[in-house]
Amino acid sequence: MNLPKITIVVTPRERFSHTKESLDSIYEHTQIPFKLVYIDGNSPRKVRQYLEEQARARNFQIIRTNYYLSPNQARNIGLRQVDTPYVVFADNDVVVSPGWLENLVRCAEETQAIVVGPLMCQDLPIHEIVHFAGGESHIWVDNNKATPRRRLREKMYKQGKRVVEVRDRLHRNETELAEFHCVLVRTEIFSRIGLLDEAMLNTKEHLDFCMSVREAGGKVYFEPSSLVTYVPGPPLEWTDLHFYMLRWSDAWTLASLHRLRDKWNLAEDAYFLQKYKQLGWRRRWTIVHPLSHRLTFGIKSHWLEKILVPLDRILNRYLTSSHARQQQKFQLQPQQTNDVQDNGFAA
């Protein structure tokens, strides 16, 4: 019997309503042995019951918290359970395709890569529109003679292109960037760089991780023979809204950007200023605009959105502050932080 050398750690991304489609695809399209650790960060009752049923049927481990988790917080909880040479971090809205995991592992073993990212697609229908096909993430110093500044270069390749138009031209290659939607990592790297940075609350944590890996001498590869799609909202179910608003809160975004800036000693240049201007864009696109559309029976209303946007910000601040207080309470009572259900592992 072949022992698994990969542990898949599934974590909440921004909602819970795509859980079944994602988990089903992993078990349908993964042929090599693997362990699975599912991080259930306060999912609604229907999803929690489904996961418990699946864990019993498929023999995987659930770790549940009774509060929402930031992405790196959830990944670290799962990472602490990993005892295999490889770990795959996968968001709970990811749908994989046949051969996805085998091809990621093959790339890692043939290239000695520390990190391998697939051809990542986005939206429905699955596997049609490219989200990410490798990219750039590095620091450069500008030529300002008075005060040279450390600045960030970030670029994602082929975003928005149709897979059928570009896939034949894509080849395995070393790159600078992979995304946490789905990524294979050699577990030994964490003994060199430590756990994922939980001060990176909700954005750019993949940049921070990949730059840390490369700074430690590791290689990052893009493997286009592995095809994966993440399926973001909308639509959102009502039970998704609280987590979604916290996940993309202004406070978490600002904290993450400031952490990235300070950790890497970056200038607060146009890159960061533009990100500050865009605060809350996901909530406006996913919640405010659809709500305005519904309340006006399909008539676009700027005046209504001018009312809803400030209300969204007030509610967002309240939810973020409430979550922070809840986190402090659990930190004071660590025995109550996790309700862990361990049903063994799939093989």
Side-chain angles (χ1 to χ4, degrees):
M1 179 179 178
N2 293 329
L3 294 176
K5 58 183 177 182
I6 309 109
T7 302
I8 301 173
V9 175
V10 181
T11 57
R13 179 174 175 267
E14 62 181 17
R15 61 181 179 135
F16 302 100
S17 51
H18 210 69
T19 295
K20 183 179 186 303
E21 293 85 348
S22 176
L23 187 61
D24 284 351
S25 79
I26 290 174
Y27 278 98
E28 179 180 356
H29 297 308
T30 309
Q31 303 305 316
I32 59 176
F34 66 95
K35 299 179 180 182
L36 190 138
V37 178
Y38 205 105
I39 309 303
D40 177 7
N42 198 30
S43 67
R45 178 179 300 178
K46 180 175 69 173
V47 175
R48 182 177 75 242
Q49 292 174 345
Y50 165 77
L51 288 173
E52 291 171 351
E53 292 168 359
Q54 291 299 302
R56 287 191 292 269
R58 301 184 188 273
N59 195 32
F60 63 81
Q61 182 183 16
I62 299 175
I63 299 178
R64 176 177 171 82
T65 63
N66 295 318
Y67 53 89
Y68 298 123
L69 298 165
S70 68
N72 272 357
Q73 187 180 17
R75 293 177 191 120
N76 280 340
I77 291 172
L79 183 58
R80 292 185 181 97
Q81 306 297 313
V82 174
D83 60 2
T84 52
Y86 296 104
V87 58
V88 170
F89 295 110
D91 287 338
N92 68 342
D93 58 3
V94 157
V95 177
V96 302
S97 66
W100 73 283
L101 185 55
E102 294 90 331
N103 291 329
L104 291 178
V105 174
R106 185 178 301 113
C107 176
E109 297 191 339
E110 292 177 356
T111 65
Q112 299 304 303
I114 296 293
V115 175
V116 183
L119 174 57
M120 179 60 61
C121 296
Q122 63 186 48
D123 301 325
L124 295 173
I126 60 172
H127 309 329
E128 290 192 7
I129 304 298
V130 175
H131 175 70
F132 182 79
E136 300 174 30
S137 177
H138 62 265
I139 295 166
W140 61 284
V141 180
D142 66 21
N143 58 3
N144 188 318
K145 294 182 179 179
T147 54
R149 298 176 299 174
R150 288 167 55 85
R151 304 176 68 176
L152 180 66
R153 166 70 171 173
E154 176 192 2
K155 185 175 182 179
M156 298 169 64
Y157 297 153
K158 307 298 183 183
Q159 189 171 51
K161 301 290 186 181
R162 295 188 63 81
V163 171
V164 295
E165 295 172 356
V166 301
R167 197 172 190 186
D168 289 345
R169 303 197 301 272
L170 297 176
H171 305 283
R172 175 194 294 177
N173 62 277
E174 188 170 356
T175 187
E176 294 182 345
L177 193 58
E179 288 199 309
F180 277 123
H181 295 300
C182 179
V183 65
L184 176 84
V185 183
R186 286 184 186 268
T187 312
E188 59 89 9
I189 189 63
F190 297 104
S191 66
R192 287 192 264 163
I193 67 172
L195 295 175
L196 299 169
D197 188 349
E198 294 185 18
M200 302 291 299
L201 288 169
N202 76 344
T203 188
K204 308 305 176 187
E205 69 270 28
H206 59 299
L207 276 70
D208 173 67
F209 173 63
C210 288
M211 289 194 297
S212 296
V213 168
R214 294 175 60 246
E215 187 177 61
K219 295 184 292 185
V220 179
Y221 263 78
F222 164 64
E223 179 49 70
S225 65
S226 176
L227 181 63
V228 175
T229 297
Y230 88 97
V231 184
L236 294 167
E237 295 183 6
W238 281 109
T239 51
D240 287 328
L241 286 175
H242 187 170
F243 177 49
Y244 187 94
M245 292 191 73
L246 176 68
R247 170 66 166 86
W248 297 117
S249 69
D250 295 348
W252 279 21
T253 302
L254 281 174
S256 301
L257 292 171
H258 292 164
R259 173 62 172 170
L260 182 70
R261 178 198 64 194
D262 297 344
K263 182 176 182 177
W264 294 94
N265 192 26
L266 299 170
E268 194 167 56
D269 59 4
Y271 174 89
F272 287 98
L273 297 179
Q274 181 64 25
K275 301 297 181 187
Y276 300 156
K277 289 181 181 179
Q278 294 173 340
L279 281 178
W281 71 267
R282 292 177 191 268
R283 301 193 315 276
R284 288 193 295 274
W285 180 258
T286 309
I287 301 172
V288 174
H289 291 338
L291 180 59
S292 174
H293 186 82
R294 179 175 296 183
L295 292 176
T296 57
F297 303 99
I299 301 172
K300 192 172 182 179
S301 174
H302 293 294
W303 68 265
L304 182 57
E305 290 193 9
K306 286 182 178 180
I307 296 172
L308 292 176
V309 167
L311 290 176
D312 162 73
R313 289 174 179 156
I314 292 170
L315 178 59
N316 187 248
R317 286 196 296 269
Y318 169 78
L319 292 175
T320 307
S321 298
S322 176
H323 177 78
R325 290 192 297 271
Q326 187 181 37
Q327 288 272 281
Q328 289 179 340
K329 180 185 72 173
F330 281 122
Q331 288 170 0
L332 292 173
Q333 299 174 320
Q335 72 277 10
Q336 298 180 17
T337 58
N338 290 335
D339 176 15
V340 180
Q341 178 178 351
D342 187 344
N343 294 312
F345 289 102

